[in-house]
């Protein structure tokens, strides 16, 4: 059973601090990893993708991948109240299906 | 440019009824995926279609079926509705069904309530 696991939270972070979100996956054949953001009552939207070990930065967001540890993380710097949402980790399996975690609810406190 | 569209936005049905949900992908996208999402969980994969062929099927009963039309729009059908089918049904489109399938664009969803 291919799985993606995330801490459901909520994760509460003060405004301006760094939010750190984590995800582990079970399928060692996975090569592509994604972070989606979902606001309450809305549909998911893609915010980051990462394909190689190491860090990938895009503005205030940094995705980190460690394939040996089967671990993906998302860092949000200078957290803003508008970052409050559920963050979904998704992994593209070896048969090209997206496997989703349950999501981590992030709350940024002003 | 229009994004992914879904209809209807909300639907109320009773147990045993049948429902059809519709989705139009982003122009140029040939792959459509359907997901079911219940509160507090991530999307659960139901079907994926690419070029009118089924490319993947999740762990859902045969009451769920889908198809893709020549214009790449898609329908999801659910027969003999159960209370447990109440959920947000999401449609997502992507350019490819293989290595590009991770970058999916979602429609606003259809909220189905079964009474």
């Amino acid at each position: 059973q291919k799985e993606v696991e995330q801490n459901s939270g909520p994760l509460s972070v003060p405004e301006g601090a760094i939010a750190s979100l984590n995800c582990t996956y079970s399928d060692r054949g996975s090569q592509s990893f994604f972070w989606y953001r979902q606001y309450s009552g809305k549909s998911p939207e893609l915010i980051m993708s990462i394909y190689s070990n190491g860090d990938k930065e895009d503005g205030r967001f940094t995705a980190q991948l460690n394939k040996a540890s089967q671990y993906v993380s998302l860092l949000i710097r200078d957290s803003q109240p508008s970052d409050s949402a559920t963050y979904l980790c998704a992994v593209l399996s070896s048969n090209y299906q997206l496997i989703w975690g349950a999501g981590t609810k992030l709350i940024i406190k002003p | 440019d229009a994004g992914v569209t879904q209809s209807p936005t909300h639907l109320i049905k009773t147990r045993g009824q049948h429902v059809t949900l519709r989705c139009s992908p982003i122009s140029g996208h040939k792959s459509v995926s359907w997901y079911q999402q219940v509160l507090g969980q991530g999307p659960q994969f139901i079907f994926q279609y690419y070029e009118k062929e089924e490319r993947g099927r999740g762990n859902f009963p045969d009451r769920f079926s889908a198809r893709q039309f020549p214009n790449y729009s898609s329908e999801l059908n659910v027969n003999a509705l159960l209370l447990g089918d109440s959920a947000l049904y999401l449609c997502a489109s992507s350019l490819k069904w293989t290595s590009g399938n991770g970058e999916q664009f979602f429609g606003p969803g259809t909220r189905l309530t079964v009474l």
Side-chain angles (χ1 to χ4, degrees):
Chain A
Q1 180 80 5
K2 298 170 184 174
E3 293 182 344
V4 175
E5 304 217 355
Q6 299 179 253
N7 188 321
S8 62
L11 174 66
S12 183
V13 173
E15 183 176 357
I18 296 175
S20 178
L21 304 162
N22 304 314
C23 169
T24 59
Y25 61 94
S26 62
D27 182 2
R28 284 195 170 275
S30 299
Q31 296 295 321
S32 307
F33 308 86
F34 306 88
W35 285 98
Y36 284 76
R37 177 177 62 199
Q38 187 172 25
Y39 292 113
S40 181
K42 301 294 185 182
S43 52
E45 59 176 327
L46 179 65
I47 54 172
M48 288 288 287
S49 58
I50 187 165
Y51 304 96
S52 305
N53 277 331
D55 295 0
K56 178 182 177 183
E57 188 174 316
D58 184 0
R60 296 187 296 112
F61 297 95
T62 299
Q64 299 176 318
L65 173 61
N66 183 326
K67 290 184 181 179
S69 300
Q70 296 176 246
Y71 180 91
V72 192
S73 64
L74 180 70
L75 301 178
I76 306 175
R77 289 183 301 281
D78 187 25
S79 296
Q80 302 297 309
S82 60
D83 295 326
S84 296
T86 295
Y87 288 80
L88 297 161
C89 175
V91 176
L92 193 66
S93 69
S94 48
N95 65 350
Y96 304 116
Q97 297 306 323
L98 261 188
I99 310 299
W100 297 80
T104 298
K105 184 173 183 177
L106 176 65
I107 299 172
I108 307 300
K109 291 189 171 180
Chain B
D1 287 344
V4 178
T5 60
Q6 290 186 247
S7 63
T9 54
H10 294 85
L11 205 50
I12 299 175
K13 292 286 190 177
T14 56
R15 281 178 297 175
Q17 285 190 311
H18 161 271
V19 67
T20 298
L21 310 181
R22 295 178 175 85
C23 170
S24 291
I26 291 172
S27 178
H29 285 194
K30 299 181 179 181
S31 176
V32 170
S33 297
W34 287 96
Y35 296 92
Q36 181 195 68
Q37 188 176 29
V38 298
L39 197 63
Q41 294 185 19
Q44 298 296 309
F45 172 69
I46 310 175
F47 286 109
Q48 183 180 20
Y49 278 80
Y50 179 78
E51 290 281 18
K52 303 182 291 295
E53 290 191 18
E54 184 182 299
R55 299 292 183 171
R57 174 186 287 250
N59 189 23
F60 279 80
D62 292 344
R63 299 185 296 109
F64 289 75
S65 64
R67 55 179 175 167
Q68 187 177 34
F69 299 100
N71 66 352
Y72 304 111
S73 67
S74 178
E75 282 183 356
L76 175 70
N77 294 283
V78 187
N79 292 324
L81 285 167
L82 303 174
L83 295 179
D85 294 331
S86 296
L88 179 67
Y89 287 84
L90 295 165
C91 172
S93 76
S94 58
L95 273 172
K96 305 175 185 178
W97 76 278
T98 53
S99 59
N101 194 39
E103 299 186 2
Q104 298 193 356
F105 298 84
F106 284 82
T110 294
R111 173 72 62 186
L112 173 64
T113 302
V114 182
L115 302 177

